[in-house]
Amino acid sequence: MPPREGIYGLMAEFNTPTELVEATEAARAAGYRRMECYTPYPVEEAAEALHFHETRVPLLCLLGGVMGVTTAFLMETWINVWGYPLNIAGRPLWSWPAFIIPAYEWTILFAGLSAAFGMIALNGLPQLYHPVLNAPNFRNGATTDKFFLCLEAHDPKFSIIETRAFLETFPAVSVVEVDH
Amino acid sequence: MATKEPIIDPNIDPATGEYSVIAPGHNFKSVTQKIAGIVLSSNTPLGWFFGLIVGGGVAMGVVVGITWLFLKGVGIWGVTIPGAWGFAIINFVWWIGIGHAGTLISAILLLFKQTWRNSINRFAEAMTIFAVVCAGTFPLIHVGRPWLAYWLFPYPNTMNVWPQFRSPLAWDVFAVSTYATISIVFWYIGMIPDFGTLRDRAVTPLARYGYGLLSLGWRGSTRHWIRYESASLLLAGLSTPLVLSVHTVISFDFAVASLAGWHTTIFPPYFVAGAVYSGFAMVLTLAIPIRKFYHMEDFVTLRHLDNMAKVMLATGGIVAYGYGMEVFMSWFSASHWEFFMMWNRMFGPMGWAYWILIATNIVIPLTSLWLRKLRVNVAWLFFISIVVNTGMWFERFVIVVTSLYRDYLPSSWGTYRATKWDYMIYVGTMGLFTLLFFLFIRLLPMIPMSEIKMMLPQTKVRKGHQNAEVVSQEAS
């Protein structure tokens, strides 16, 4: 990424999730689009206020599961039929009912790893540096007991003076500038 | 029952007459301080060092036992023909079973929206992982040539030798390795937001750096939270069939063999229920001293203990049914061998083990846990948890040993006697488990902070400005 300078956005701090959600809805109604909420636990109403919907994690999980079952079943078939055929008490080489069990385990393994790592990747993590961590009050509250709304500077409607005035109409504890 | 008389205990919710899940009077800040404080405090309680040293000392049994085993071979154990499976398999099944309650709490109770489980979720999962570590040791050292244990996995090799997938022992490798992997991933994913909290609350640069790395830069963004919740739910949904399959596959190790006492269709459900039964007993064994020592009575309340005792009552009932059905089928099958196996199990030279098992798994817990008074009696529950864990170990002992040492052919009958090395490694794994657990409670958040916050009344978003003030007062 090219080095960035200047302002990342304006961050308002709230005491309760209700105030956060109301401010987010109002910001959306006022035409802001580039914004994000930061909360110490998941607040679904905030995601609704941001009009954020995500379906890619379950999709990745499904793909992982399909890949797992296919890989395991084909691997078992190749190994026990062609790679290393063994006569076990005269049973058929392609004993598919027995193959289901490892295939079942790998379905879960691949699906679970896809969901977990897919979530991390879609979230852009690990990302040890992020501008919001520069806000002086952010780390004291965002993962503990405070609720933040950040209106980002690359929003076309963003203006340091008007946006600050807009955020100050809400019962925010503080409104601070966040630098890159 | 409790609603009959006026309630004076502040921990009892007057609306339901049940103990509340979290003691009243907590807010976001106090929850964070209390839980993060244990990890971030520079004062380590002396009792913790004591526990670590005891655990570490006992864990030396594993080190010494395995060293001698690798030098001399499995002959130092009591395993021989006909009792070719002994302590190693008993302990493996016992430990894996203990782990199952952790996954049950973290996954199945999450899917059933049992939010009370949030308090005990993290350390139950930790218990799972450490139990799997202890369990996994046994098959690896039991293979005879442990330096070749990687042959169990299908990997391309110049010998052109591959695993044989019609064997339950190969299924075991897949089931247990998947279980270990998914449990660790689920546990870690669950801790990411808490690592973020610890990073932000850390006072020393080392802690800030360490937890900062572990948190992957978590900043509580709403978009992240939504994906995170989605992934957690999927992992829970995947862990549920996984945990049921693991002990099922382990029971196949026995059930697929054509040996009286092993070759029964009841094994899978009966193993899974027994696993959950012993696992909840282990959660109680751990939770009761920890909540006392770290003053966590506000988060692990009597409600949790009561609920866990109820789960034990239910799964213990299934186990009792399993025992009853085994006895019934040994008669109903009209098979001479089955009948003899059961007679031998009850009245043979090792009959004492069977009666210990019946007393500790059925008689003592299943008669007392019906009473609410005893379910919320911490000392009694602790006693019961030890009793049940003993009982479940004896169940595995009875299954493994009494079927093997007197099989179809009387001329090949023998006996089984564990040696001091068997005992040393077994007791050593308990020390290893304790050691890992003590490290866990000092270094990682043992109760999930973000999940506890979700259970507080302040969490609710109440639309409309008139309510906003009320909420802000509650939160401050």
Side-chain angles (χ1 to χ4, degrees):
Chain A
M1 266 202 300
R4 293 210 183 123
E5 284 179 0
I7 255 193
Y8 173 77
L10 275 169
M11 174 114 78
E13 175 182 340
F14 297 97
N15 272 329
T16 70
T18 310
E19 291 166 359
L20 172 81
V21 170
E22 283 172 354
T24 312
E25 281 170 353
R28 171 104 193 163
Y32 289 97
R33 289 294 177 271
R34 306 284 185 151
M35 55 185 172
E36 182 60 298
C37 300
Y38 299 90
T39 54
Y41 58 85
V43 179
E44 278 175 33
E45 290 86 351
E48 281 164 26
L50 291 169
H51 288 244
F52 173 70
H53 301 283
E54 173 69 89
T55 50
R56 283 179 294 172
V57 177
L59 185 69
L60 281 174
C61 179
L62 175 71
L63 290 177
V66 171
M67 200 165 82
V69 69
T70 324
T71 310
F73 204 87
L74 292 180
M75 179 186 74
E76 289 172 277
T77 302
W78 181 81
I79 287 175
N80 280 179
V81 178
W82 290 285
Y84 192 53
L86 283 174
N87 183 346
I88 306 291
R91 289 185 181 82
L93 288 177
W94 193 60
S95 299
W96 63 267
F99 296 171
I100 288 176
I101 292 162
Y104 175 92
E105 302 296 340
W106 268 26
T107 312
I108 292 176
L109 180 70
F110 280 46
L113 294 179
S114 309
F117 289 103
M119 179 274 289
I120 289 175
L122 288 173
N123 281 349
L125 300 175
Q127 182 185 7
L128 299 183
Y129 173 79
H130 191 273
V132 293
L133 298 170
N134 291 334
N137 52 348
F138 184 80
R139 292 183 51 171
N140 195 29
T143 52
T144 307
D145 60 343
K146 298 290 195 240
F147 301 83
F148 291 85
L149 171 65
C150 186
L151 297 181
E152 289 160 21
H154 57 245
D155 190 292
K157 206 175 161 0
F158 186 88
S159 132
I160 185 78
I161 295 163
E162 282 165 27
T163 306
R164 177 180 275 279
F166 172 75
L167 281 175
E168 277 170 353
T169 60
F170 300 105
V173 182
S174 66
V175 178
V176 294
E177 285 176 24
V178 182
D179 293 328
H180 266 296
Chain B
M1 278 201 295
T3 45
K4 281 179 194 162
E5 45 211 62
I7 298 156
I8 359 159
D9 192 337
N11 291 321
I12 292 183
D13 182 351
T16 56
E18 294 275 1
Y19 284 95
S20 40
V21 175
I22 298 182
H26 274 289
N27 58 36
F28 297 138
K29 190 117 194 161
S30 72
V31 167
T32 311
Q33 279 170 343
K34 187 138 193 183
I35 299 168
I38 297 170
V39 178
L40 297 174
S41 155
S42 54
N43 296 323
T44 310
L46 270 182
W48 183 83
F49 284 108
F50 177 75
L52 190 78
I53 289 167
V54 170
V58 176
M60 284 299 125
V62 178
V63 179
V64 175
I66 290 182
T67 308
W68 194 239
L69 175 80
F70 285 2
L71 288 172
K72 303 294 280 187
V74 284
I76 66 165
W77 285 347
V79 287
T80 175
I81 298 300
W85 275 5
F87 263 40
I89 301 298
I90 299 167
N91 299 339
F92 165 67
V93 180
W94 187 69
W95 274 121
I96 282 273
I98 283 173
H100 277 30
T103 321
L104 185 104
I105 290 170
S106 62
I108 300 182
L109 295 185
L110 177 72
L111 294 183
F112 286 161
K113 296 199 190 289
Q114 297 292 309
T115 44
W116 60 273
R117 104 263 191 244
N118 289 6
S119 310
I120 50 170
N121 164 25
R122 175 74 45 74
F123 65 74
E125 276 180 58
M127 179 193 81
T128 296
I129 289 161
F130 304 149
V132 172
V133 168
C134 293
T137 313
F138 286 104
L140 287 184
I141 61 178
H142 195 240
V143 291
R145 278 183 266 178
W147 53 94
L148 299 179
Y150 63 91
W151 285 12
L152 290 165
F153 291 96
Y155 75 103
N157 56 71
T158 50
M159 303 172 293
N160 222 0
V161 170
W162 294 91
Q164 197 279 101
F165 290 102
R166 280 160 291 183
S167 160
L169 298 177
W171 304 342
D172 238 16
V173 175
F174 281 76
V176 175
S177 60
T178 300
Y179 186 48
T181 314
I182 292 292
S183 298
I184 290 169
V185 167
F186 198 10
W187 190 53
Y188 177 68
I189 293 284
M191 280 191 292
I192 291 176
D194 281 359
F195 283 137
T197 308
L198 291 176
R199 169 199 66 202
D200 292 347
R201 305 234 69 81
V203 274
T204 62
L206 181 70
R208 198 177 307 134
Y209 186 76
Y211 292 121
L213 277 183
L214 286 170
S215 75
L216 307 178
W218 182 263
R219 51 187 190 274
S221 140
T222 294
R223 288 179 171 85
H224 289 186
W225 271 121
I226 295 300
R227 294 192 191 104
Y228 176 89
E229 286 287 281
S230 169
S232 299
L233 209 58
L234 286 167
L235 278 169
L238 291 165
S239 301
T240 303
L242 175 64
V243 70
L244 298 178
S245 81
V246 174
H247 235 57
T248 301
V249 169
I250 288 173
S251 79
F252 286 162
D253 291 345
F254 300 95
V256 169
S258 56
L259 191 67
W262 286 9
H263 195 60
T264 60
T265 48
I266 203 169
F267 260 32
Y270 154 56
F271 263 55
V272 172
V276 174
Y277 189 37
S278 64
F280 268 87
M282 189 55 108
V283 176
L284 284 173
T285 312
L286 297 169
I288 289 171
I290 289 176
R291 75 193 272 277
K292 180 95 191 145
F293 187 72
Y294 281 103
H295 307 293
M296 283 293 161
E297 285 96 340
D298 286 359
F299 303 134
V300 183
T301 62
L302 288 176
R303 170 77 171 278
H304 295 101
L305 303 186
D306 185 22
N307 282 359
M308 286 193 272
K310 283 178 189 165
V311 175
M312 282 175 64
L313 191 59
T315 48
I318 302 174
V319 170
Y321 173 81
Y323 296 158
M325 204 35 88
E326 275 190 323
V327 175
F328 173 74
M329 287 312 292
S330 70
W331 166 75
F332 188 70
S333 65
S335 155
H336 175 72
W337 313 110
E338 289 285 338
F339 186 83
F340 171 76
M341 179 279 299
M342 193 45 76
W343 181 88
N344 180 46
R345 206 176 252 192
M346 287 175 169
F347 307 111
M350 290 201 193
W352 52 271
Y354 186 78
W355 298 111
I356 290 180
L357 145 76
I358 294 294
T360 50
N361 263 358
I362 310 291
V363 179
I364 303 172
L366 293 193
T367 49
S368 62
L369 290 180
W370 288 101
L371 302 173
R372 186 172 189 268
K373 243 193 196 107
L374 290 175
R375 285 201 308 268
V376 296
N377 181 332
V378 177
W380 180 258
L381 272 187
F382 187 69
F383 169 70
I384 284 285
S385 73
I386 303 280
V387 163
V388 168
N389 270 320
T390 319
M392 287 309 293
W393 189 86
F394 271 100
E395 180 196 303
R396 275 72 202 238
F397 179 84
V398 164
I399 290 172
V400 170
V401 173
T402 59
S403 285
L404 273 177
Y405 83 106
R406 287 186 167 184
D407 65 357
Y408 300 101
L409 208 58
S411 63
S412 64
W413 285 1
T415 188
Y416 176 79
R417 179 173 282 276
T419 65
K420 62 181 177 202
W421 300 105
D422 282 307
Y423 287 105
M424 185 188 274
I425 297 176
Y426 172 48
V427 174
T429 52
M430 291 192 209
L432 177 65
F433 182 78
T434 316
L435 176 74
L436 291 170
F437 214 84
F438 270 89
L439 288 173
F440 159 70
I441 55 180
R442 184 69 184 89
L443 296 173
L444 301 173
M446 67 169 142
I447 294 178
M449 289 179 265
S450 59
E451 289 183 18
I452 290 283
K453 286 172 193 167
M454 289 166 72
M455 298 198 293
L456 295 175
Q458 296 91 306
T459 312
K460 288 212 179 67
V461 172
R462 295 171 217 192
K463 294 285 175 62
H465 285 282
Q466 66 279 18
N467 286 337
E469 261 175 45
V470 182
V471 182
S472 94
Q473 276 166 4
E474 273 175 28
S476 54

